[in-house]
Amino acid sequence: MASRNLPDHELLQRCREGNTRAFDLLFERYFNKLNLFALKYIRQQSITEELIMDLMLKVWEKKDNFQEEGSLGPYLFKALKNSMIDYFRKRSSLQLPFVS
C-alpha cells in the first residue's frame, strides 16, 4: 500500500517514529480543507495559513502523546476552530480603548 493511501492513525504512527514524509502527507491531506474552513471566518489568507502552520507544528511536537486512533480530521478542525476563537478574542481586545 502506498503511504499516500495510509489512514491517518498509521501516518501518525510513522510520525512518532520520526518519519517526516508521513507528516508531509498529513499536512497535504488537510491543509486545503482547513484553509477553506478558516477563510470562511477569517478573510485573510496570511492569517489562516499562520494558524494552520501553528496547529500542524503542535501536532508534530506532540506526536508522541497523540492518541487519535481514527481520522485526524475532526481533531484538526476542532483545534483550528479554537485557534480562530483565540485569534478573534485577541484581536477584539486589542481594539478596545484603554480605560483607566
Side-chain angles (χ1 to χ4, degrees):
M1 176 183 271
S3 49
R4 184 172 299 284
N5 298 324
L6 289 174
D8 293 352
H9 69 275
E10 289 186 33
L11 289 173
L12 277 170
Q13 179 56 42
R14 290 183 182 196
C15 287
R16 285 184 202 101
E17 296 165 0
N19 185 326
T20 57
R21 179 65 184 138
F23 181 76
D24 291 343
L25 290 171
L26 285 171
F27 186 90
E28 291 170 13
R29 184 174 290 175
Y30 286 103
F31 180 81
N32 287 333
K33 295 173 191 174
L34 292 168
N35 191 47
L36 288 173
F37 173 72
L39 280 172
K40 291 179 186 176
Y41 303 98
I42 301 173
R43 302 193 192 289
Q44 290 181 281
Q45 182 71 40
S46 60
I47 294 171
T48 62
E49 287 178 2
E50 184 176 338
L51 292 174
I52 295 166
M53 298 294 260
D54 288 346
L55 171 60
M56 296 305 287
L57 178 61
K58 288 176 188 171
V59 169
W60 176 258
E61 289 172 343
K62 297 181 181 204
K63 66 188 177 296
D64 293 330
N65 300 329
F66 211 86
Q67 299 300 319
E68 192 67 32
E69 287 300 320
S71 174
L72 184 61
Y75 168 83
L76 291 174
F77 280 95
K78 184 174 183 176
L80 181 58
K81 177 183 165 191
N82 291 336
S83 294
M84 290 188 303
I85 290 169
D86 289 344
Y87 165 77
F88 284 121
R89 281 186 186 143
K90 288 175 187 172
R91 191 178 81 170
S92 67
S93 69
L94 292 174
Q95 294 175 355
L96 293 175
F98 179 73
V99 179
S100 56

